[in-house]
Amino acid sequence: MHLHSKQQQEFLARHIGPNEGETKEMLQTIGMGSVNELIEKTVPASIRLQKDLAVDAPISEFEYLKKITALGTKNKLYKDCIGMGYYGTITPSVILRNVFENPGWYTQYTPYQAEIAQGRLESLLNFQTMVADLTGLPIANASLLDEATAAAEAMTLLNGSKGKEGKHKFFVDQYTFAQTIDVLKTRALPVGVELVFGDFATTTLDESFFGALLQYPNSEGAICDYRNFIQQAQAVNCGVVMACDILSLSLLTPPGELGADVAIGNTQRFGVPMGFGGPHAAYFATKDEYKRVIPGRIIGVSIDAQGNRCLRMALQTREQHIRREKATSNICTAQALLSNMAAMYAIYHGADGLRDIAKRISTYTQALANALGSNNVHGQYFDTLKIKVADVKSTVTSLENAGYNVRAYADNHIGISIDETILPNDLGALANALGAAPISYSDILSNIPDWATRTSDFLTHQVFNSHHSESKMMRYIKSLEDKDLALNRSMISLGSCTMKLNAASEMIPVSNPHWGSLHPFAPKHQWVGYQELIAELEKDLSEITGFDACSLQPNSGCSG
């Protein structure tokens, strides 16, 4: 028993700084005989806990790893075709091993000290270039928290720039992702913004609107022609935000070319696991006129004291860590690790690789639509179909029995989204479960209209055209890591809530598919492991704090 107890203490000894001798020396210095005596002298008896906490007995690091792996197997892995902003993706092994699972990348702190952060600053600059190229807008930040937050930040930006007396309305197309609408409602209320929901095709904007949000493609997968709506908005000085699927922009006309003021979205499908909903890096791009009010941070190119090219965080005076309550936004973070992964994904594949992935996805989607015939509702789409079925419940059950999750609508329709993990045999299984005709393929993407077909180049910079072999990619990642400071090189003196506080064992489940590959809208019976984990943590935190219940809603600085 004693030996097992020592094994349980190994984790503490390896991660809590002072050892037994150092603790004794510190106690002697302040004239205390023990830690308990110190507590008795400093914490009033009236507020000291008088009983032991009713929490589970401690386990060793080895036992924890066995337990968390076994618990993860209670989360059932299906092929997720639910869509709604979250998609299966293939994380290239060179990025998985050398970025996602590498403490040289995941323990870095915010790059406030440019001289020890040149590697990650270059990667974040690559992210900004990738976003600006794909969206067709001249300036992008180094990422935000998620797509819904980015939409709320875009609303705030336009309200600050165009909102005035009598101009307080923000239009939101009814086919925007539900999670985005929920965040917009929360963020609009305290600042006096009136949200107006409706169909862009039948809505008339007037001088009372300062902004509008459109989903592209929309939440049902349809590619809608927003050009007349955007012209109408411009005529009444109403800014337009387009929430865009980042991969679709390798095939679709970018929002900047359509006249949008802001483009936002999620970069999750660029090699970042779904992770049951996050974290993921959002993107935010806009016109040059908004560069001094764009939220988040921007990496800029500068020169050092010796006249050499260097990188730094530019326009920091907009940020909360400098301007406090006068900051442009209270979003004081970038999803650095995830944005770095997305940037590396774009570098590894390049423009041609992204086009190939997007074309394959859209070709497969069109093949399934053709097999379904008239049951497919929308004729113009990228990767998502809305399909009429006789009975939603039985169809969803049949597809789940075949190993696939789909979106269930309330009106005798289902939604199916195709991603890069879907293979030809999956299409056959989906068609078979839906009673569709056999799958056949076409080289012509008739599901994308001419006006929405991208003709402009993107990712033309050398960095996106130089590292397409695994060995070159590995060397590039390492070259950036070598220009940086992370916990694998040194103690990081800057503090607070960053990945550097997580032990390796705590990070291991992150890349385990049973924890990382679940869709956030998967049926509840498929994520029993998550339910048990959440329930145990809520119970323990309630016991520790003395409250009846505990919310696990994020409350970090990045959430404001």
Side-chain angles (χ1 to χ4, degrees):
M1 187 67 186
H2 173 68
L3 290 176
H4 183 62
S5 179
K6 284 198 72 173
Q7 188 184 20
Q8 292 171 350
Q9 292 298 315
E10 282 182 2
F11 183 84
L12 293 178
R14 295 184 199 280
H15 294 279
I16 304 299
N19 60 32
E20 195 172 333
E22 290 166 337
T23 301
K24 188 175 181 180
E25 183 181 345
M26 286 189 285
L27 288 168
Q28 287 174 344
T29 301
I30 60 174
M32 294 289 149
S34 67
V35 173
N36 284 338
E37 184 185 348
L38 175 62
I39 292 171
E40 287 173 7
K41 292 281 180 70
T42 55
V43 182
S46 60
I47 64 169
R48 284 205 299 271
L49 199 62
Q50 302 301 317
K51 61 181 180 66
D52 291 335
L53 291 172
V55 296
D56 293 341
I59 58 176
S60 68
E61 197 169 351
F62 174 69
E63 289 172 306
Y64 148 77
L65 285 169
K66 288 185 66 177
K67 177 180 178 180
I68 201 73
T69 302
L71 189 61
T73 61
K74 294 186 178 182
N75 298 321
K76 301 306 177 187
L77 296 182
Y78 287 72
K79 282 288 182 94
D80 283 299
C81 301
I82 299 169
M84 299 176 70
Y86 305 95
Y87 306 91
T89 183
I90 300 168
T91 306
S93 297
V94 66
I95 297 173
L96 176 68
R97 174 160 290 189
N98 295 289
V99 179
F100 197 34
E101 297 176 341
N102 180 0
W105 285 94
Y106 74 67
T107 65
Q108 303 163 336
Y109 191 64
T110 301
Y112 292 134
Q113 294 173 280
E115 66 274 17
I116 59 168
Q118 288 297 294
R120 84 193 87 143
L121 286 170
E122 181 172 325
S123 184
L124 292 172
L125 181 67
N126 292 339
F127 177 88
Q128 292 174 183
T129 305
M130 172 193 84
V131 170
D133 277 11
L134 282 165
T135 60
L137 287 161
I139 190 166
N141 69 15
S143 80
L144 287 176
L145 187 64
D146 57 20
E147 180 170 336
T149 302
E153 290 296 312
M155 176 182 71
T156 302
L157 179 147
L158 290 177
N159 189 31
S161 303
K162 297 178 180 293
K164 57 185 179 181
E165 188 80 30
K167 202 173 182 71
H168 61 282
K169 293 179 182 177
F170 188 74
F171 174 80
V172 182
D173 186 69
Q174 60 190 348
Y175 296 114
T176 298
F177 289 138
Q179 63 271 24
T180 300
I181 289 173
D182 284 346
V183 172
L184 287 172
K185 288 178 178 177
T186 301
R187 293 283 292 274
L189 185 64
V191 294
V193 169
E194 180 185 343
L195 295 179
V196 177
F197 298 95
D199 182 349
F200 83 95
T202 58
T203 294
T204 301
L205 299 175
D206 58 35
E207 294 288 348
S208 65
F209 287 88
F210 69 82
L213 175 67
L214 306 167
Q215 192 88 45
Y216 178 67
N218 73 18
S219 65
E220 292 190 348
I223 298 173
C224 300
D225 190 346
Y226 295 130
R227 290 175 294 179
N228 289 338
F229 179 89
I230 292 171
Q231 289 177 359
Q232 181 194 156
Q234 291 170 339
V236 292
N237 193 28
C238 171
V240 175
V241 183
M242 291 182 69
C244 310
D245 181 295
I246 189 78
L247 184 60
S248 76
L249 296 182
S250 62
L251 298 183
L252 302 185
T253 303
E257 294 177 17
L258 294 174
D261 295 84
V262 183
I264 61 100
N266 193 347
T267 61
Q268 177 267 317
R269 69 189 308 173
F270 276 18
V272 179
M274 284 186 285
F276 201 44
H280 306 132
Y283 70 83
F284 191 112
T286 188
K287 294 179 176 177
D288 191 66
E289 66 193 82
Y290 300 112
K291 67 185 175 186
R292 294 198 173 274
V293 289
I294 185 174
R297 56 195 43 150
I298 299 172
I299 310 309
V301 180
S302 187
I303 56 171
D304 65 14
Q306 286 74 44
N308 299 315
R309 177 186 182 272
C310 67
L311 303 169
R312 62 186 177 87
M313 288 212 295
L315 297 174
Q316 287 195 65
T317 50
R318 304 163 301 111
E319 287 224 356
Q320 193 182 47
H321 70 276
I322 291 178
R323 295 198 73 194
R324 301 180 184 272
E325 75 279 359
K326 295 179 182 177
T328 295
S329 164
N330 66 2
I331 295 297
C332 58
T333 197
Q335 286 283 10
L337 175 65
L338 296 317
S339 54
N340 286 333
M341 286 181 67
M344 294 298 183
Y345 181 94
I347 291 166
Y348 194 45
H349 289 294
D352 288 342
L354 292 184
R355 280 194 204 96
D356 287 345
I357 294 168
K359 283 179 179 176
R360 183 173 73 248
I361 290 170
S362 206
T363 298
Y364 287 3
T365 309
Q366 180 179 246
L368 182 60
N370 290 341
L372 290 163
S374 61
N375 290 329
N376 176 39
V377 173
H378 300 297
Q380 297 176 343
Y381 50 83
F382 166 61
D383 66 355
T384 297
L385 306 174
K386 185 178 182 182
I387 302 159
K388 187 174 183 179
V389 295
D391 181 74
V392 170
K393 188 175 181 180
S394 63
T395 304
V396 169
T397 300
S398 175
L399 286 164
E400 186 177 344
N401 289 339
Y404 300 90
N405 288 327
V406 298
R407 180 180 179 182
Y409 289 93
D411 59 350
N412 283 343
H413 288 83
I414 62 167
I416 294 182
S417 293
I418 304 300
D419 59 53
E420 67 169 327
T421 70
I422 297 296
L423 302 173
N425 62 299
D426 295 309
L427 288 182
L430 287 166
N432 185 58
L434 290 166
I439 294 290
S440 62
Y441 301 96
S442 169
D443 293 331
I444 300 171
L445 290 178
S446 58
N447 51 301
I448 299 178
D450 289 342
W451 69 264
T453 299
R454 181 169 195 142
T455 57
S456 55
D457 291 333
F458 59 94
L459 302 189
T460 57
H461 190 278
Q462 183 181 359
V463 73
F464 298 104
N465 296 279
S466 304
H467 310 291
H468 297 164
S469 74
E470 181 174 311
S471 55
K472 286 183 178 180
M473 189 71 200
M474 182 166 52
R475 291 175 198 135
Y476 180 64
I477 292 169
K478 181 62 177 172
S479 73
L480 297 192
E481 184 188 341
D482 286 346
K483 296 178 185 177
D484 229 292
L485 184 78
L487 201 60
N488 62 343
R489 290 183 180 272
S490 165
M491 183 58 205
I492 304 170
S493 52
L494 287 169
S496 91
C497 51
T498 55
M499 298 281 262
K500 67 176 184 284
L501 299 178
N502 294 322
S505 289
E506 293 167 327
M507 296 296 293
I508 282 176
V510 174
S511 53
N512 179 329
H514 281 278
W515 291 107
S517 295
L518 268 73
H519 194 289
F521 299 132
K524 192 173 182 179
H525 61 266
Q526 292 179 11
W527 41 277
V528 173
Y530 264 111
Q531 291 175 59
E532 290 188 16
L533 187 75
I534 291 166
E536 183 179 340
L537 185 56
E538 286 178 335
K539 177 183 74 68
D540 287 351
L541 290 175
S542 297
E543 171 68 16
I544 291 165
T545 60
F547 287 103
D548 294 327
C550 179
S551 168
L552 299 184
Q553 180 175 314
N555 264 320
S556 66
C558 63
S559 299

